[in-house]
Amino acid sequence: MTSALHQCVRRTIRRHRLIPEGSRVVVGLSGGSDSVALTFVLRDLAAHGGFEVVGLAHFNHRLRPSASRDEQFCRELAARQNIPFASESADVAAHAAEQRLSLEDGARRLRYEFLGRAAASLGAGIVAVGHTQDDQAETFLMKLMRGASLTGLAGVYPRKGLVVRPLLDVSRAELRTYLGSLGETWVEDETNGNTANPRNRIRHHVLPQLNATLGGSTGPNLARAAATAREDTEWLDEVADGSFSELVVTDADELAIDLAGFALLPRPVARRVLVRALRKMAGCREVRLEHVEAALAVAAGETGGIDVPGGRMEPRGSKLVLIQHGRGPK
Amino acid sequence: MTSALHQCVRRTIRRHRLIPEGSRVVVGLSGGSDSVALTFVLRDLAAHGGFEVVGLAHFNHRLRPSASRDEQFCRELAARQNIPFASESADVAAHAAEQRLSLEDGARRLRYEFLGRAAASLGAGIVAVGHTQDDQAETFLMKLMRGASLTGLAGVYPRKGLVVRPLLDVSRAELRTYLGSLGETWVEDETNGNTANPRNRIRHHVLPQLNATLGGSTGPNLARAAATAREDTEWLDEVADGSFSELVVTDADELAIDLAGFALLPRPVARRVLVRALRKMAGCREVRLEHVEAALAVAAGETGGIDVPGGRMEPRGSKLVLIQHGRGPK
């Protein structure tokens, strides 16, 4: 089977070297259209691609009324397709509250931990998940709107550790058409319509307005912009890593940046060195562009010391010093 | 007078060194709230800033029914403030049609040409124009949505040649509050409500939705993202300029890139070298991210020759060659 959809997914896999020859792949299956389509597309491609889909892994977040229906749907799909099935459930809400994480962050953390375990138990080296071009565009706009620091703008990565995202260049609409052509169904997330959730507002209000303004789908263009931002950032990060190790001395709860060397850095590298330093102080708190801007002003001698997430930043002689407050929650 | 608004504008001027000591400044005055506020803020700052506002310059685009009312408003403001006034008008619609430019591009070109002449005639070295943080956010979203190539994403520059934009960190709402406090008025652009215009759709539909999603103004965050993109791009452009002169040989209607050297470039630099090459072929046609992506595939040997704006790109031995079609319009 080689539809345009399959070709597009194969191109994404090749371009980012997502699935090496001989890989054993587990698919993260929520039961939604994206991950169901991913299951079928990867099974089709496996035959010619020299890899094997060795399991479907479902994580039950116990967050929605339909959580057990979704799990059942996934279990049956696996049985019908004759693919081993792994599932776990957890009280995500309790975990998030305990770790002081947002529900979304808590859920993500537990889900990926589970996917790692599922891969290990099935002898798989790769976990494929169903993020699409739509997710890419939504994530990019959300991070943009919230003033995420630089790396944040890079959007969704095609590969991170074990996890790969072969559908990043495909739209959700294409996947649903494909499932329809197979006569396959999926479960609808009933919280999708809840516009108190920022992602849903972006999906149902902002993106349609952008599409209407352009007179076409902005998804591909936003995804391209995110991909370009990712490439820029990856290289600038490498350069900044080098400068960071040259200019920064870390010591227990303090970190000192050599100001003379710092002043010579090109601005994009200087920003990223500060992002690294701020992240070290911040722990799991978010570092935003406004923090980086304030820190640049201190480094340039325009302002005195400032509070930063998790600590304080102050000039001290030839150094710019970051002092960590009493250790926060990990 | 040193309101928070004045301090913010002064900071922008200092940070980007927009108005050197002793400058003679002409203000581009449309009669809208932004440029009227700019006139008053700069007059206030001039006293302490060591520069002088030596003229107001109005360009009559003859595009709107209210065009002569606007010109009259500006002329009276100048007379009341006792500042020399310069104006010109032109048939923008005819010019744009003749040059095959969009109305917006044609208007911009004629307007900036006029502003340059006005500055020269008033002995001014600087032209200040009224772009705000709102313009920055709108422009950024428009370019993002249209898949503009990399430099496009950088948004509105604080300085370009003679032209400076001291209001880039200030919102339109702040400026209107300020004018209200002075008892000053401005002319409303009656085409602002026309949502057939993409910028107006962004302004009246997309941005309010983004603001509602965030629960606050996204303008500052979008402006920060644009500013960061600009910094990244400025430095990456410098690096790419160096690589371009090393690797590219230009010749009459042809341009050849050394493929071995090109293959060694970090991806963000490689992209920008291609953007430069494509721009040389494209003349006044737009180079978009999709063109750059297609060109990267040719350079990587993934595809054969392709059409590019204004010409064709083909691998030829150890070179990647761009051949210009018969010369297009300037």
Side-chain angles (χ1 to χ4, degrees), chain A residues 145 150 228 231 267 271, chain B residues 150 221 228 231 267 271:
Chain A
M145 154 190 111
L150 309 135
T228 305
E231 281 183 6
R267 189 91 165 179
R271 270 187 187 274
Chain B
L150 309 133
N221 286 338
T228 304
E231 280 184 7
R267 189 90 165 180
R271 268 185 189 277

Side-chain angles (χ1 to χ4, degrees), chain A residues 15 140-141 144-148 150 153 197-199 201-202 205-206 209-214 217-218 221-222 224-225 227-228 231-233 235-236 239 266-269 271-272 288-290 293 296 302, chain B residues 11 15 140-141 144-148 150 153 197-199 201-202 205-206 209-214 217-218 221-222 224-225 227-228 231-233 235-236 239 266-269 271-272 289-290 293 296 302:
Chain A
R15 179 180 305 166
F140 185 68
L141 278 178
L144 200 57
M145 154 190 111
R146 284 164 42 203
L150 309 135
L153 276 188
N197 175 321
R199 183 176 290 275
R201 284 193 84 111
I202 296 272
H205 296 304
V206 177
Q209 279 293 351
L210 272 178
N211 294 344
T213 305
L214 182 69
S217 170
T218 50
N221 286 338
L222 292 178
R224 267 188 207 111
T228 305
E231 281 183 6
D232 285 1
T233 276
W235 186 58
L236 290 168
V239 178
R267 189 91 165 179
V269 180
R271 270 187 187 274
R272 284 171 171 83
R288 290 200 308 279
L289 285 177
E290 60 184 293
E293 227 163 73
L296 274 169
E302 290 168 16
Chain B
R11 212 176 311 128
R15 178 179 306 166
F140 185 67
L141 277 178
L144 201 55
M145 157 188 108
R146 283 165 40 202
L150 309 133
L153 277 187
N197 175 322
R199 183 176 289 274
R201 284 194 84 112
I202 296 272
H205 297 302
V206 176
Q209 279 293 350
L210 272 178
N211 294 344
T213 305
L214 182 70
S217 171
T218 50
N221 286 338
L222 292 178
R224 267 188 208 111
T228 304
E231 280 184 7
D232 285 1
T233 276
W235 186 58
L236 290 169
V239 178
R267 189 90 165 180
V269 180
R271 268 185 189 277
R272 284 170 171 83
L289 285 177
E290 57 183 295
E293 228 163 72
L296 274 169
E302 290 167 16

Side-chain angles (χ1 to χ4, degrees), chain B:
Chain B
M1 171 163 285
T2 53
S3 65
L5 170 66
H6 286 75
Q7 280 170 31
C8 180
V9 176
R10 191 187 297 156
R11 212 176 311 128
T12 306
I13 292 174
R14 280 199 193 145
R15 178 179 306 166
H16 302 288
R17 299 187 187 82
L18 299 185
I19 308 182
E21 180 106 25
S23 294
R24 292 170 59 86
V25 179
V26 164
V27 177
L29 182 68
S30 70
S33 56
D34 303 346
S35 61
V36 172
L38 178 63
T39 304
F40 286 103
V41 172
L42 286 186
R43 285 217 79 177
D44 292 341
L45 293 179
H48 305 285
F51 65 89
E52 202 183 339
V53 176
V54 297
L56 303 181
H58 176 82
F59 187 64
N60 183 338
H61 298 77
R62 288 196 227 151
L63 286 174
R64 307 192 312 236
S66 60
S68 24
R69 174 206 70 181
D70 297 353
E71 182 174 341
Q72 191 51 31
F73 174 90
C74 293
R75 188 183 301 280
E76 285 169 14
L77 178 64
R80 194 151 51 82
Q81 293 295 314
N82 202 20
I83 311 178
F85 183 70
S87 73
E88 269 185 31
S89 81
D91 188 340
V92 169
H95 171 83
E98 195 184 292
Q99 299 287 316
R100 299 194 222 166
L101 293 169
S102 72
L103 211 54
E104 200 180 342
D105 287 341
R108 185 184 309 114
R109 191 186 283 190
L110 289 178
R111 184 168 65 246
Y112 282 108
E113 283 173 9
F114 158 67
L115 289 172
R117 279 193 298 279
S121 74
L122 291 155
I126 304 270
V127 174
V129 295
H131 293 85
T132 62
Q133 194 175 71
D134 301 74
D135 294 305
Q136 178 78 289
E138 288 159 18
T139 302
F140 185 67
L141 277 178
M142 294 215 340
K143 298 204 162 177
L144 201 55
M145 157 188 108
R146 283 165 40 202
S149 82
L150 309 133
T151 11
L153 277 187
V156 183
Y157 281 69
R159 149 162 239 146
K160 202 143 207 180
L162 286 189
V163 175
V164 303
R165 301 186 168 94
L167 300 184
L168 271 190
D169 298 314
V170 182
S171 73
R172 183 167 300 131
E174 290 172 83
L175 294 173
R176 293 189 169 194
T177 305
Y178 165 67
L179 287 178
S181 75
L182 295 182
E184 290 291 337
T185 58
W186 60 89
V187 294
E188 286 289 353
D189 177 351
E190 73 277 18
T191 62
N192 264 344
N194 172 12
T195 50
N197 175 322
R199 183 176 289 274
N200 290 333
R201 284 194 84 112
I202 296 272
R203 183 177 298 171
H204 298 301
H205 297 302
V206 176
L207 279 169
Q209 279 293 350
L210 272 178
N211 294 344
T213 305
L214 182 70
S217 171
T218 50
N221 286 338
L222 292 178
R224 267 188 208 111
T228 304
R230 185 172 62 237
E231 280 184 7
D232 285 1
T233 276
E234 280 173 348
W235 186 58
L236 290 169
D237 278 349
E238 270 179 47
V239 178
D241 283 339
S243 304
F244 188 87
S245 23
E246 262 173 51
L247 300 176
V248 178
V249 181
T250 318
D251 176 23
D253 291 353
E254 228 180 80
L255 183 157
I257 306 175
D258 178 67
L259 275 170
F262 185 83
L264 296 175
L265 298 178
R267 189 90 165 180
V269 180
R271 268 185 189 277
R272 284 170 171 83
V273 167
L274 285 181
V275 170
R276 277 159 182 65
L278 290 170
R279 287 238 175 87
K280 284 214 176 237
M281 289 296 115
C284 61
R285 296 174 196 81
E286 192 183 19
V287 173
R288 291 199 309 279
L289 285 177
E290 57 183 295
H291 302 129
V292 183
E293 228 163 72
L296 274 169
V298 180
E302 290 167 16
T303 57
I306 53 164
D307 287 325
V308 295
R312 208 169 151 75
M313 169 177 270
E314 274 166 12
R316 188 192 296 161
S318 66
K319 303 281 183 188
L320 183 64
V321 182
L322 281 108
I323 310 112
Q324 191 157 35
H325 289 327
R327 302 252 169 216
K330 191 219 119 86

Side-chain angles (χ1 to χ4, degrees), chain A:
Chain A
M1 173 163 283
T2 51
S3 66
L5 170 65
H6 287 75
Q7 280 171 31
C8 180
V9 176
R10 191 187 297 156
R11 210 175 312 124
T12 306
I13 291 174
R14 281 200 192 145
R15 179 180 305 166
H16 302 290
R17 298 185 188 82
L18 299 185
I19 308 184
E21 180 105 25
S23 295
R24 293 169 59 84
V25 179
V26 164
V27 178
L29 181 69
S30 71
S33 56
D34 303 347
S35 60
V36 172
L38 177 63
T39 304
F40 286 103
V41 172
L42 286 187
R43 285 218 78 178
D44 292 340
L45 292 179
H48 305 285
F51 64 88
E52 203 183 338
V53 176
V54 297
L56 304 181
H58 176 81
F59 188 64
N60 182 339
H61 298 78
R62 290 197 228 148
L63 285 174
R64 307 193 312 236
S66 60
S68 23
R69 174 205 69 180
D70 297 353
E71 183 175 339
Q72 192 50 32
F73 174 89
C74 293
R75 189 183 302 279
E76 285 169 12
L77 177 65
R80 194 152 49 84
Q81 293 295 314
N82 201 20
I83 311 178
F85 183 69
S87 72
E88 269 184 34
S89 81
D91 188 341
V92 169
H95 171 83
E98 196 184 293
Q99 300 286 317
R100 299 193 220 169
L101 293 169
S102 73
L103 211 53
E104 200 180 340
D105 287 342
R108 187 184 309 113
R109 192 186 284 191
L110 289 177
R111 186 168 64 246
Y112 281 108
E113 282 172 11
F114 157 67
L115 289 172
R117 279 193 299 280
S121 75
L122 290 156
I126 303 269
V127 174
V129 295
H131 293 85
T132 62
Q133 193 175 71
D134 302 73
D135 294 305
Q136 178 77 288
E138 289 159 18
T139 302
F140 185 68
L141 278 178
M142 293 214 339
K143 299 205 160 176
L144 200 57
M145 154 190 111
R146 284 164 42 203
S149 81
L150 309 135
T151 12
L153 276 188
V156 182
Y157 281 71
R159 150 162 238 146
K160 201 145 208 179
L162 288 189
V163 176
V164 302
R165 301 186 168 92
L167 301 185
L168 272 189
D169 298 314
V170 182
S171 74
R172 183 166 299 133
E174 290 172 82
L175 294 174
R176 294 188 167 195
T177 305
Y178 165 65
L179 287 178
S181 76
L182 296 182
E184 291 290 338
T185 57
W186 60 89
V187 295
E188 285 290 354
D189 177 352
E190 73 277 19
T191 62
N192 263 346
N194 172 11
T195 51
N197 175 321
R199 183 176 290 275
N200 289 335
R201 284 193 84 111
I202 296 272
R203 184 178 298 171
H204 298 301
H205 296 304
V206 177
L207 278 169
Q209 279 293 351
L210 272 178
N211 294 344
T213 305
L214 182 69
S217 170
T218 50
N221 286 338
L222 292 178
R224 267 188 207 111
T228 305
R230 185 172 61 236
E231 281 183 6
D232 285 1
T233 276
E234 280 173 347
W235 186 58
L236 290 168
D237 278 349
E238 271 179 47
V239 178
D241 282 339
S243 303
F244 188 87
S245 23
E246 261 174 52
L247 300 176
V248 177
V249 180
T250 317
D251 176 21
D253 292 353
E254 228 179 79
L255 184 157
I257 306 174
D258 178 67
L259 275 170
F262 185 83
L264 296 176
L265 298 178
R267 189 91 165 179
V269 180
R271 270 187 187 274
R272 284 171 171 83
V273 167
L274 286 181
V275 169
R276 276 158 182 65
L278 290 169
R279 287 237 175 89
K280 285 214 174 240
M281 290 295 113
C284 61
R285 295 174 197 80
E286 192 182 20
V287 173
R288 290 200 308 279
L289 285 177
E290 60 184 293
H291 302 129
V292 183
E293 227 163 73
L296 274 169
V298 180
E302 290 168 16
T303 56
I306 53 164
D307 287 327
V308 296
R312 211 171 147 73
M313 170 177 268
E314 275 167 11
R316 188 193 293 162
S318 66
K319 303 281 183 188
L320 183 64
V321 182
L322 280 108
I323 310 112
Q324 191 158 36
H325 290 325
R327 300 252 169 215
K330 185 201 128 133

